[in-house]
Amino acid sequence: MTTAEFPFPPTSPDKAIEQMRRIRDDRPMTQVQYAHGGKVWAIHRHGAIRQMLEDRRFVRKPFATGEMEVPYPVQFPDFLKTTMQFADPPEHTRLRRLVAKAFTLRRVELLRGRTRAFAEDLLDAMERKGPPADLVQDYTLQVPIQVLSELLGVPAADRAKFTTWSQVMLSTNGLSEQELAEHGAALYTYLVELIAARRAEPADDLLSALAAAQEADDSLTDDEILPIAMLLLVAGFDNTANFATQGVLALLRNPDQLQVLLADIDGAAAKLPDEILRHGGFAVGRDVEGSAGLVPFVATEDVEIDGQLVRAGECVMADISTANHDEHVFEQPERFDITRSPNPHLTLSHGLHHCLGAPLARMEMQVIISSLFRRLPTLKLAGEEGYATDFLTGGLNRLPVTW
């Protein structure tokens, strides 16, 4: 079977929808061979992905230990391989249980007011400067890094250098290996010292809560807290900014949905994040794998999924874009519909690896987009969007707008 059609580079949203439907109807999965030689089963159907994510016979630890290489050309930073994303039960279960004690919905909701304040300050600056503006650099990228700094307890005086280090850690080129190592070491040292300071003098932030998280005689060590903080840089900073930007772009390209939002900003904003996450990269005619598809799994024994045999030792990944447009699950999946309910998309994964930061991502998107359109209801595009080619998480890095 040829694999040239997957992963597909759609030239338009219409072609992407047709291509995804044809692949999904033809087979539950495709074995993809990349140019460097790695092979992976890409699972296309919503139900088949859920089945795989619920099956304990699929694991990730071999990638963390170096026993296996990631089968497609994505270079993960070493710190990511020590996070929950690469762990399996019982280690994963223990870490997730302890982190969940600190990363609560209450803590996220307490951040909502500060998030709104960050958004309003940035919008004030945009209005003072006047149109046109780059929404990414002036707004959607800035809010999440401020929220993340607040969440972790990074002092205001350190936030400029913390932002620089964070962006460098996500960069895939443009700096020498020595420069990357220096910035990485600086961020590592800073977080180590900050964690130690929070153990000595706890504050009302996530690092303090992680340091205090305990169950029976079990607690998180500093060596375990550090990669959790580093993972937040990837999942809670650039990814959130990218999806918020995609949401704005989708609204501006779908005027009927923008009118639904403007008619009831607070009410519509409640459901908006999940439709952005479902529609995701497709909304801008791009193919993205989504967070559940970023890290593959390995079958520990022969497993049949939706009639397809996956043999022990073979790798599988979730084709999130295609599954999120499965017509057996989503009515009119090609339509960007901010009132869609229910919306069981898989962008934040499912089962054991469902994103713990989902409430934070939803809250930030709600605030970023509702604050923007409440302040600038006449917002419109002022040029072509741009996409990052030098960031681990990819996505939009330029969105010219006016009002």
Side-chain angles (χ1 to χ4, degrees), residues 283-397:
V284 291
R286 305 282 292 191
D287 173 39
V288 295
E289 293 168 355
S291 58
L294 186 59
V295 183
F297 291 83
V298 180
T300 57
E301 59 183 79
D302 291 358
V303 184
E304 186 174 295
I305 297 180
D306 203 359
Q308 174 64 56
L309 179 65
V310 178
R311 296 196 177 279
E314 291 184 332
C315 300
V316 300
M317 60 169 277
D319 170 17
I320 298 301
S321 294
T322 303
N324 280 347
H325 290 80
D326 191 332
E327 64 275 9
H328 296 99
V329 179
F330 304 97
E331 185 176 353
Q332 292 185 289
E334 74 285 355
R335 176 175 166 78
F336 179 66
D337 180 4
I338 66 174
T339 67
R340 188 182 297 277
S341 182
N343 196 340
H345 64 81
L346 295 170
T347 305
L348 298 174
S349 194
H350 170 73
L352 288 175
H353 289 277
H354 183 263
C355 179
L356 269 174
L360 178 64
R362 289 188 176 98
M363 181 276 286
E364 289 186 71
M365 283 190 276
Q366 288 167 357
V367 172
I368 289 170
I369 294 176
S370 63
S371 297
L372 175 66
F373 284 103
R374 185 175 284 112
R375 179 76 73 89
L376 302 173
T378 60
L379 193 77
K380 58 186 177 182
L381 296 174
E384 288 295 316
E385 72 275 14
Y387 295 88
T389 58
D390 59 353
F391 252 49
L392 178 67
T393 49
L396 286 158
N397 65 356

Side-chain angles (χ1 to χ4, degrees), residues 104-176:
T104 62
L105 183 59
R106 177 181 175 274
R107 183 173 299 281
V108 169
E109 283 304 311
L110 287 173
L111 272 173
R112 188 178 289 272
R114 292 291 292 151
T115 305
R116 189 174 292 113
F118 294 141
E120 294 296 336
D121 287 346
L122 289 164
L123 290 170
D124 286 343
M126 278 178 55
E127 286 197 304
R128 284 195 300 269
K129 188 172 67 173
D134 179 353
L135 197 69
V136 176
Q137 301 303 321
D138 293 339
Y139 184 60
T140 56
L141 187 63
Q142 304 305 320
V143 176
I145 192 62
Q146 291 294 329
V147 172
L148 183 60
S149 299
E150 187 87 0
L151 178 70
L152 293 176
V154 176
D158 294 340
R159 290 186 180 179
K161 61 183 180 183
F162 182 74
T163 299
T164 298
W165 291 333
S166 302
Q167 290 178 313
V168 168
M169 287 302 296
L170 295 175
S171 177
T172 57
N173 61 42
L175 295 175
S176 68

Side-chain angles (χ1 to χ4, degrees), residues 201-263:
E201 295 184 27
D204 187 17
D205 55 49
L206 182 62
L207 288 183
S208 298
L210 289 170
Q214 191 167 4
E215 186 171 277
D217 295 327
D218 192 16
S219 60
L220 292 165
T221 67
D222 287 2
D223 286 342
E224 291 170 333
I225 294 173
L226 180 62
I228 292 168
M230 299 287 275
L231 177 60
L232 280 170
L233 295 179
V234 177
F237 161 32
D238 189 57
N239 270 343
T240 302
N242 181 41
F243 274 111
T245 310
Q246 288 187 26
V248 173
L249 181 55
L251 285 163
L252 294 178
R253 287 183 169 172
N254 292 272
D256 62 320
Q257 296 303 298
L258 179 56
Q259 290 307 308
V260 172
L261 176 69
L262 293 176

